[in-house]
Amino acid sequence: MTEELRIKQDILECGRRLYDKGMVAANDGNISVRLNDNEILATPTGRSKGFMQIDELVKIDWQGRIIEGSHRPSTEMLMHLAIYQARPDVQAVVHAHPVYATGFATANLALDQCVAAEIITTIGSIPLARYGTPSTHELSDAVVEVMKNADACLMTNHGVVTCGKNVFDAYYKLERVEHYAHIIFVSRLLGGEKLLTRADVEKLNAIRSTYGTQSDANPGCRVCEDSCVGGDCACYEKKDDVAMQSLLQDVMNHHTDENDLIRSVIEKIIRDAEGN
Ligand SMILES: [Zn+2]
């Protein structure tokens, strides 16, 4: 069996599991795998992910043009391509609408508090991406803004997207997000989840590498200098600001003849990163 055929079979298997577990309805959801620098394998639009055939998968290029296959790719490939471009470490992306996690997304509630050991070690923070109209740059920009620092995110008033080093890795993260959302839902019925301490979260973040999840692109659950842990911490944004200011100063020190140009380019990058 060729490597490409094995990957196609894995996509079909993950599609079946998404459908069988009720994480998508009808023709919803989409899966893709990065094959190489020029080719992405994508699930077809308008087909149930529970009943796909090998020859229905579509091969596309970085512009979303069909290279191989008689079906059209999912309309959400714009978002998948944007994630691959922002995250060179990512080889697969899965998007679905699982009930509990999408419930949190439609209530506009992130799952970014540090409360469950297994989630901190395997995924980390699960932020909420701002709303964007499906299949537009508005959505892909919103998702990439948070996925550059996370392997899973809730999409406001829409669903969930996860990424990983292969299709099963991305799929299992989606399964974990849904299971976790269900747990948080139950804990809120019982009075609400309780935050782990900063020391406990630091210990869990430290052992993430043994789970293969330590990565600069996914720094894990948020811990600040003070006792703050979880989604309410603003320290990550502050660190980003400090790093960008230091980069700006460094460039200024070395390119005095082109200061104005460089300053304006970097300021634009900062504005784009902030979504302004
Ligand atoms: Zn969707």
Side-chain angles (χ1 to χ4, degrees):
M1 187 191 304
T2 66
E3 175 70 0
E4 188 171 315
L5 180 58
R6 188 190 59 73
I7 292 171
K8 286 179 174 175
Q9 289 182 341
D10 286 351
I11 293 174
L12 262 52
E13 178 60 26
C14 289
R16 273 192 291 272
R17 294 188 191 192
L18 281 178
Y19 188 76
D20 289 348
K21 286 177 174 287
M23 296 202 281
V24 288
N27 301 333
D28 297 347
N30 33 73
I31 302 170
S32 71
V33 173
R34 188 205 304 256
L35 288 177
N36 52 51
D37 289 344
N38 304 309
E39 299 174 318
I40 306 283
L41 265 178
T43 49
T45 189
R47 290 283 293 136
S48 169
K49 303 307 164 288
F51 304 97
M52 292 184 295
Q53 304 296 320
I54 288 265
D55 61 4
E56 292 176 335
L57 298 177
V58 192
K59 198 182 282 184
I60 60 173
D61 66 14
W62 282 106
Q63 278 69 49
R65 293 177 299 218
I66 298 170
I67 299 172
E68 193 180 300
S70 55
H71 286 67
R72 282 187 300 121
S74 161
T75 53
E76 290 300 2
M77 278 307 127
L78 198 60
M79 174 181 75
H80 291 234
L81 291 172
I83 294 170
Y84 289 125
Q85 276 167 346
R87 294 275 306 269
D89 59 310
V90 165
Q91 304 301 323
V93 175
V94 178
H95 162 59
H97 310 146
V99 172
Y100 286 92
T102 304
F104 278 84
T106 53
N108 294 186
L109 297 171
L111 290 166
D112 56 358
Q113 299 295 4
C114 307
V115 295
E118 204 71 36
I119 288 295
I120 294 170
T121 51
T122 57
I123 296 182
S125 187
I126 304 168
L128 176 72
R130 62 190 153 81
Y131 181 75
T133 305
S135 76
T136 68
H137 284 288
E138 184 186 23
L139 177 64
S140 54
D141 289 351
V143 165
V144 164
E145 187 178 312
V146 294
M147 290 286 276
K148 62 190 178 192
N149 287 312
D151 285 352
C153 84
L154 305 184
M155 304 151 73
T156 292
N157 293 83
H158 185 158
V160 182
V161 61
T162 57
C163 63
K165 55 184 184 250
N166 56 54
V167 66
F168 269 102
D169 187 39
Y171 166 77
Y172 283 137
K173 282 174 187 157
L174 202 133
E175 219 179 56
R176 282 187 193 281
V177 169
E178 174 61 353
H179 191 69
Y180 179 53
H182 196 168
I183 289 168
I184 296 298
F185 180 81
V186 171
S187 75
R188 290 190 184 177
L189 292 177
L190 299 171
E193 67 271 32
K194 302 289 182 276
L195 286 180
L196 287 165
T197 66
R198 178 187 166 194
D200 287 332
V201 174
E202 280 179 341
K203 281 186 222 165
L204 289 166
N205 278 340
I207 60 169
R208 293 180 83 227
S209 58
T210 62
Y211 290 76
T213 45
Q214 187 68 56
S215 125
D216 289 343
N218 179 6
C221 212
R222 293 180 173 199
V223 182
C224 292
E225 273 76 33
D226 53 23
S227 61
C228 175
V229 292
D232 298 333
C233 296
C235 57
Y236 270 53
E237 286 78 4
K238 284 182 197 149
K239 277 182 193 163
D240 288 347
D241 282 353
V242 170
M244 197 54 89
Q245 288 299 330
S246 139
L247 172 68
L248 181 62
Q249 194 56 53
D250 189 47
V251 172
M252 291 311 195
N253 290 343
H254 293 90
H255 300 272
T256 48
D257 294 342
E258 299 160 357
N259 276 357
D260 288 345
L261 175 63
I262 293 165
R263 179 187 287 278
S264 67
V265 168
I266 291 179
E267 284 176 348
K268 182 178 184 321
I269 292 170
I270 295 171
R271 279 199 304 278
D272 288 350
E274 291 173 345
N276 296 324

